[in-house]
Amino acid sequence: MSKIAIVGVGQTTCTSSREDTFEEMVFEAATKALADAGAEVGDIDNVVTVSNDFWDGRTISSMAVQEAAGSWGKDVSTVEGDGTFGAFYGMMRILSGSFDTTLVVSHMKGSESIMNLITNAMFDPIYQRGLGIDATSAAALQARSYMAMSGATEEDFARVSVKNHGNARNNPYAQLPLKVSVRDVLASRKIAEPLKLLDCSPIGDGAAAIVLSNRKGLKRFKKDPVWIKGVAHCADAFNLGYRDLAKSRALKAAAKKAYKAAGIQKPLSDLDVAELYDAYSYMELMWYEGLGFAPEGKGYELIRSGATGMKGELPVNPSGGVLSSHPVLVAGMVRLVEATLQVRGEAGKRQVKGAKTALAHGINGPCGQAHCVFIVGA
Amino acid sequence: MGKRVAIVGFGQTYQRSSRKDVNGVELINEAVNTALADAELTIRDIDAVVIGNMDHFEGINYVDMWSAEGAGAVMKPVIKVCTGGTTGTTVAMCAYYHVASGMFKRVLAIGWEKNSESDTTGAIITAFHPVWERPTLGGAVAGLAIEASKYMANYGATERDGARVAVRERLHALNNPFAHLHQEWMKGIPVDQLVDLLVGSEQNAMLAYPLRMSDMCPRTDGAAAVIFAAEGTAEKIAPVPAWVHATANSHNFVYAGDVNMDRNTTIAEASKKVFKKAGIKEPLKEIDVCELYLPYSYAGLKWIEDIGFCAYGEGPRLLWDGVTDMDGELPVNPSGGVMSSNAIGATALIRVGEAALQVMGRAGTRQVKGGDVNLALATGFGGCYWGDVMLLGKKKPS
Amino acid sequence: MTNWKDNVKNMIYSGRIKVPYLWNAGMTGSRFLTGIRDRKEIWGNRCPGCGRVYVPPVKSCGECFVPTDEWVRVSDTGVLESFTIVHYSHDMQPRKAPLAYGLIRLDGADGALLHLIGDTDFKKLKVGMKVQAVFAKERTGTIADIKHFAPV
């Protein structure tokens, strides 16, 4: 591959509630990404925004961010889903030959609405919504299925929380850096069993942006390119009861395609760092398996052995992950931003030494129905 | 450079005011199956899916996830795109970029809406800013009425001119079995008389001056699907693929108050970009047919000027001279257009599909120029003047 | 002298999106719901391609992409494949927390139905236990016509 590179990244801090409007946050992320790239808005050929009508409380929410995203006078489009899918589209638009550079920016103000109601609206209006199901209660069902299949325990989930909240202490952008122990997690308030408060991510406000360029456009920018070596996405079925919730076949399929393009054969050793979308603690263990870091059902081995800790063979979520900051739709893009910073050696205190090949992962839909996998490298 | 892309299949459901026999997923599935049958493909041949609708019209969050089984997206890459009325063309453009990127060979673009399931105006009002606009803005009709009034004031256009557009759309729809509104009573009555009837009728309620019921589009349940394929593959699927020559869009306004009400600058900008890419110098001469997204009649006078088919103020003349009728130099909306069917998420995609049918020579009773169509233009409009333009052609683009 | 603009507090404007909906269940869904409402019977349908029986029934199979029109009556008892006890409340929930959800694979179906669990001490819930549908006394043609599932 190596045709498209990430040349600029920007992210706002994630907080439980920011005073800025979402347009202001989009502007902040976009200008940060441009500044990072050493570029101006005129260097951008087209724009892709990422937003969601329900979360924004606004029909055609994509319409509202145009000025803030710098798309005046430019071709612009939008994706309603996680930021990684928007980045994918931004990349395709360059590969088409119509543009040399794309700015992709996503935003989210979780503080402005009630997460349970917004995610309840993801579910089928005839058969599911009236039951009151939402993203968290559905996730809890998946967590239990996974436990039954794999033998992973609540302690294993807690270990993920300890690791990620701890890692977040090195990340100035994270919403919830915490020093907690497994016991703290197990003792935290029950939310939807087996999930407890510290197994769940904090929905918050945030925005992030990336600047993509082909080889021809590179001269407009000052940063060293971080190349997209491989990328793919895939969606599973919607019908919750008819998916094997304990296994993520869509993630496997996406990873296979992305790995093939990037020449990754043994993920655990070929990758230097990974940023995964752990909306809930148990998800990180499931994604280890879907991504081939561990065999099916054995994800817990990696968290127990410390292989995915900062000192391990493959550090996962040095940023603190989604468990520490969850602006929905933005979180996947932040994974991509973090992966880029790692490859550049610009990840500050959360830097994995010598990282040259990084994986960034995003999800969409209930219980990780769809997955997007990016492999980026020097 | 990217790959050349063509449309190889198009399917749509019969557009109706209300499809009570199916839910949204089933409606989508109908359109998908129709498109696949049209292209003689199976769902296994599809590499990726792009889908669009307006969330608040069906009250479904993450529609691409909810409809995966019906859209044929299970274990495929799927993306949702939504830009209001332009959704269909934005979806089409997204599907085009999927194929042009070289990453996918056959991509399914789906647009749909079950307008019968919601309060359309109630949902549209939520498109506007909750603090600055929503308390005072009155939905889509009001904004368009302002534009129409301005056009009349600037160029001396009359209510009859607006009605002439409505008459054209409704007469064209009579040739289109898929269209929602079939005003059979109009058959056989001279155009002049039809215009007088619309303007003079007391039953034709004035909604917001100068817009009457007859000037507006209906609310429709419908779905459509278009299949895009890459050069090398397209030729094996369709005997006459409709090649995408150029596509562009423009969207410069966030707040309704900022919109330039004198001219539709976004459709003008997008059209300019497309014509430049495709080397079009005289649009009226070189383009054979146009499926123009007209949410209301007066736009049919004004936006053809903005696109560059004629000079400012000349729109009415083109209408009355019959230039935009089925046997004219530039037939506009042989399908009957948005004013005859408006399932919002599908509507702009249907413009693309209908334009493709014209190029392919497969538009049946609504085919223009005896099938001798070289270039067809499709446009989308929505939200705060989001303007999409796509040019399709019989010959492969250079 | 201080400028009044420097002493302004952030204002928050509250609102609700009030858009009413009328969702069509479609004919397939309507038959399923009518079977429950009028006959206390749970029906699914079978895909001619993969042979899976779907409950609730679907008009076409998402995996095989073919129409599914062979109706199959399934049992009102089944296996609890997963469950959760929810400790928070929000407006869309039909009952107050703590409440429990389950994924129930009814005998005869090849996948699970999402529903509420009730009439039991939640602490006793186990994956794999047998549960049975408890029908509501007053049934109106919604998924709530099954009141919940209870351990057998």
Side-chain angles (χ1 to χ4, degrees):
Chain A
M1 250 219 157
S2 287
K3 291 190 196 140
I4 308 292
I6 299 167
V7 293
V9 297
Q11 57 179 317
T12 66
T13 49
C14 296
T15 62
S16 60
S17 175
R18 279 182 64 139
E19 285 178 357
D20 301 313
T21 64
F22 66 71
E23 295 102 320
E24 289 162 351
M25 292 170 66
V26 164
F27 183 71
E28 183 184 329
T31 46
K32 272 182 169 166
L34 287 173
D36 180 62
E40 292 174 349
V41 73
D43 295 313
I44 301 299
D45 294 338
N46 77 127
V47 175
V48 173
T49 61
V50 178
S51 59
N52 173 294
D53 289 8
F54 272 80
W55 286 106
D56 282 347
R58 190 153 171 170
T59 291
I60 328 176
S61 57
S62 52
M63 181 175 101
V65 290
Q66 295 319 307
E67 288 169 357
S71 67
W72 202 94
K74 300 188 170 78
D75 269 50
V76 59
S77 195
T78 185
V79 164
E80 218 176 12
D82 180 66
T84 42
F85 299 85
F88 190 91
Y89 185 25
M91 176 192 75
M92 285 195 292
R93 288 169 72 99
I94 300 176
L95 288 170
S96 75
S98 295
F99 312 101
D100 292 324
T101 65
T102 309
L103 171 71
V104 186
V105 53
S106 60
H107 76 271
M108 160 71 172
K109 286 214 78 183
S111 67
E112 288 187 341
S113 59
I114 300 170
M115 170 270 199
N116 306 107
L117 298 180
I118 302 289
T119 62
N120 170 262
M122 280 197 293
F123 292 93
D124 187 84
I126 309 283
Y127 301 120
Q128 299 173 320
R129 252 186 246 185
L131 300 172
I133 193 81
D134 60 41
T136 299
S137 39
L141 290 169
Q142 183 176 44
R144 192 170 302 281
S145 288
Y146 176 63
M147 287 167 83
M149 182 277 283
S150 67
T153 64
E154 289 182 51
E155 282 83 0
D156 292 319
F157 300 162
R159 288 180 181 106
V160 173
S161 180
V162 168
K163 169 176 80 72
N164 289 350
H165 283 297
N167 286 350
R169 293 163 78 213
N170 293 326
N171 183 358
Y173 299 101
Q175 181 173 334
L176 270 194
L178 293 172
K179 186 169 182 200
V180 289
S181 66
V182 167
R183 193 184 306 157
D184 292 332
V185 179
L186 293 175
S188 63
R189 177 160 53 93
K190 287 186 189 164
I191 300 294
E193 298 178 42
L195 303 176
K196 298 158 278 310
L197 185 64
L198 288 170
D199 290 311
C200 304
S201 53
I203 304 291
D205 297 357
I210 58 170
V211 178
L212 297 165
S213 173
N214 57 14
R215 286 187 184 271
K216 184 164 160 233
L218 284 182
K219 58 179 177 278
R220 304 179 202 177
F221 308 103
K222 298 199 171 63
K223 264 278 155 53
D224 279 341
V226 171
W227 297 98
I228 296 172
K229 303 279 190 182
V231 60
H233 66 99
C234 186
D236 204 335
F238 175 75
N239 196 335
L240 223 59
Y242 283 76
R243 277 174 57 190
D244 186 346
L245 288 178
K247 299 179 192 170
S248 31
R249 62 173 180 163
L251 175 55
K252 276 203 189 76
K256 190 172 172 197
K257 253 175 130 180
Y259 287 161
K260 188 164 178 218
I264 302 282
Q265 288 174 328
K266 293 196 190 119
L268 206 57
S269 47
D270 294 345
L271 295 169
D272 299 318
V273 60
E275 283 281 339
L276 310 184
Y277 202 113
D278 53 328
Y280 301 89
S281 56
Y282 76 91
M283 281 186 174
E284 186 167 308
L285 302 182
M286 287 191 63
W287 307 157
Y288 290 168
E289 296 167 21
L291 289 166
F293 297 170
E296 210 158 70
K298 298 278 188 243
Y300 63 78
E301 287 180 350
L302 295 178
I303 198 70
R304 287 184 194 175
S305 70
T308 54
M310 286 308 283
K311 298 203 178 83
E313 184 180 359
L314 177 58
V316 171
N317 288 341
S319 66
V322 178
L323 209 58
S324 305
S325 309
H326 196 179
V328 182
L329 312 175
V330 179
M333 181 148 285
V334 170
R335 306 279 70 67
L336 195 51
V337 168
E338 288 290 322
T340 303
L341 292 174
Q342 289 285 345
V343 170
R344 284 186 194 165
E346 290 179 359
K349 284 212 200 112
R350 57 203 190 282
Q351 180 70 50
V352 170
K353 281 199 173 51
K356 281 282 156 281
T357 308
L359 182 147
H361 164 247
I363 64 174
N364 204 36
C367 298
Q369 183 182 340
H371 295 261
C372 186
V373 177
F374 272 86
I375 314 292
V376 299
Chain B
M1 265 298 114
K3 289 226 148 217
R4 292 196 190 99
V5 183
I7 291 172
V8 295
F10 171 47
Q12 59 179 314
T13 61
Y14 287 93
Q15 313 283 306
R16 293 285 172 265
S17 59
S18 166
R19 285 289 306 269
K20 288 196 184 354
D21 57 318
V22 289
N23 59 38
V25 179
E26 294 162 352
L27 188 69
I28 290 166
N29 187 253
E30 262 184 43
V32 170
N33 280 323
T34 312
L36 288 172
D38 187 59
E40 289 176 41
L41 294 172
T42 72
I43 198 64
R44 266 162 292 285
D45 298 315
I46 299 297
D47 303 323
V49 178
V50 183
I51 187 165
N53 75 315
M54 288 184 66
D55 302 27
H56 283 102
F57 283 8
E58 284 74 34
I60 311 284
N61 196 4
Y62 296 97
V63 140
D64 49 340
M65 299 288 97
W66 173 74
S67 64
E69 280 92 316
V74 176
M75 290 309 285
K76 291 204 211 303
V78 60
I79 280 181
K80 166 144 197 274
V81 167
C82 159
T83 52
T86 35
T87 292
T89 37
T90 308
V91 163
M93 289 168 79
C94 184
Y96 161 76
Y97 285 116
H98 271 70
V99 180
S101 72
M103 293 183 76
F104 303 97
K105 284 212 171 75
R106 288 166 292 263
V107 177
L108 180 65
I110 304 169
W112 73 286
E113 214 77 64
K114 279 200 117 234
N115 276 98
S116 69
E117 290 189 345
S118 66
D119 169 1
T120 303
T121 294
I124 286 187
I125 290 176
T126 67
F128 297 97
H129 198 285
V131 182
W132 310 124
E133 296 176 317
R134 246 176 254 180
T136 54
L137 196 65
V141 178
L144 299 175
I146 295 172
E147 186 190 24
S149 303
K150 215 145 203 267
Y151 181 76
M152 290 165 83
N154 286 346
Y155 302 103
T158 66
E159 289 176 42
R160 293 189 86 246
D161 293 329
R164 179 65 180 82
V165 176
V167 165
R168 179 196 69 207
E169 303 291 84
R170 302 276 152 69
L171 285 177
H172 287 186
L174 291 174
N175 293 328
N176 182 0
F178 294 98
H180 174 186
L181 293 182
H182 286 133
Q183 317 259 248
E184 299 287 341
W185 64 268
M186 284 186 169
K187 259 192 187 140
I189 301 177
V191 165
D192 245 341
Q193 207 174 319
L194 287 170
V195 170
D196 287 334
L197 280 168
L198 289 186
V199 173
S201 160
E202 273 180 21
Q203 282 151 330
N204 192 5
M206 184 68 80
L207 300 170
Y209 186 84
L211 303 183
R212 295 188 168 80
M213 284 291 286
S214 59
D215 293 306
M216 299 308 302
C217 50
R219 293 170 63 225
T220 311
D221 284 1
V226 173
I227 300 174
F228 288 80
E231 182 183 11
T233 303
E235 300 92 323
K236 297 189 191 132
I237 300 172
V240 182
W243 295 95
V244 179
H245 280 226
T247 184
N249 89 311
S250 181
H251 172 71
N252 294 335
F253 308 108
V254 173
Y255 296 98
D258 288 339
V259 175
N260 180 339
M261 281 298 179
D262 281 317
R263 301 306 329 183
N264 188 338
T265 52
T266 50
I267 202 88
E269 248 179 57
S271 301
K272 264 205 195 73
K273 286 193 239 190
V274 163
F275 295 156
K276 186 164 178 221
K277 268 191 217 177
I280 303 283
K281 302 241 166 34
E282 291 172 284
L284 185 63
K285 265 206 189 127
E286 297 175 60
I287 294 171
D288 295 301
V289 61
C290 181
E291 279 284 336
L292 176 61
Y293 191 117
L294 296 180
Y296 78 113
S297 58
Y298 291 79
L301 303 168
K302 178 179 162 185
W303 297 358
I304 54 177
E305 300 167 5
D306 291 307
I307 290 173
F309 288 133
C310 61
Y312 293 166
E314 293 244 292
R317 184 183 64 73
L318 254 67
L319 263 294
W320 290 106
D321 282 354
V323 171
T324 67
D325 293 336
M326 289 299 279
D327 54 359
E329 186 183 353
L330 177 70
V332 173
N333 293 336
S335 65
V338 178
M339 285 180 64
S340 303
S341 307
N342 193 9
I344 297 182
T347 271
L349 186 61
I350 291 176
R351 306 281 72 70
V352 172
E354 289 286 334
L357 285 182
Q358 294 290 344
V359 168
M360 292 162 139
R362 295 172 50 225
T365 42
R366 56 200 189 281
Q367 180 69 54
V368 301
K369 305 203 168 162
D372 187 14
V373 169
N374 257 313
L375 290 173
L377 194 72
T379 76
F381 162 86
C384 230
Y385 286 72
W386 185 296
D388 289 342
V389 177
M390 186 177 274
L391 183 67
L392 302 173
K394 202 175 266 175
K395 300 194 189 90
K396 259 189 219 182
S398 46
Chain C
M1 195 167 86
T2 51
N3 187 335
W4 65 271
K5 295 195 207 82
D6 293 331
N7 293 321
V8 166
K9 284 202 173 59
N10 188 44
M11 296 168 91
I12 294 179
Y13 183 86
S14 87
R16 263 192 114 88
I17 290 193
K18 291 184 223 154
V19 183
Y21 292 100
L22 294 166
W23 289 290
N24 285 294
M27 287 312 298
T28 305
S30 296
R31 290 184 178 117
F32 170 71
L33 293 168
T34 301
I36 293 174
R37 181 191 67 193
D38 295 350
R39 308 163 75 92
K40 292 208 259 187
E41 290 174 7
I42 303 176
W43 286 80
N45 57 12
R46 192 196 314 271
C47 170
C50 59
R52 286 155 115 199
V53 172
Y54 287 96
V55 175
V58 290
K59 196 172 180 191
S60 60
C61 173
E63 305 278 339
C64 306
F65 218 63
V66 293
T68 51
D69 41 26
E70 185 195 337
W71 287 85
V72 174
R73 184 161 171 207
V74 299
S75 169
D76 60 0
T77 52
V79 171
L80 191 63
E81 292 201 321
S82 184
F83 67 91
T84 181
I85 303 148
V86 175
H87 294 273
Y88 55 85
S89 290
H90 64 77
D91 288 350
M92 283 305 288
Q93 287 162 339
R95 41 185 86 166
K96 283 216 145 350
L99 70 159
Y101 294 109
L103 284 170
I104 302 109
R105 188 165 48 77
L106 295 168
D107 295 337
D110 290 293
L113 175 72
L114 174 72
H115 217 292
L116 295 159
I117 309 288
D119 285 343
T120 183
D121 178 359
F122 292 152
K123 287 192 186 57
K124 297 213 172 94
L125 292 177
K126 274 191 172 34
V127 169
M129 74 193 308
K130 262 190 126 30
V131 292
Q132 182 167 32
V134 174
F135 293 95
K137 280 206 179 64
E138 310 216 349
R139 298 184 296 281
T140 55
T142 72
I143 196 67
D145 287 356
I146 294 174
K147 188 176 166 196
H148 53 229
F149 282 80
V152 160

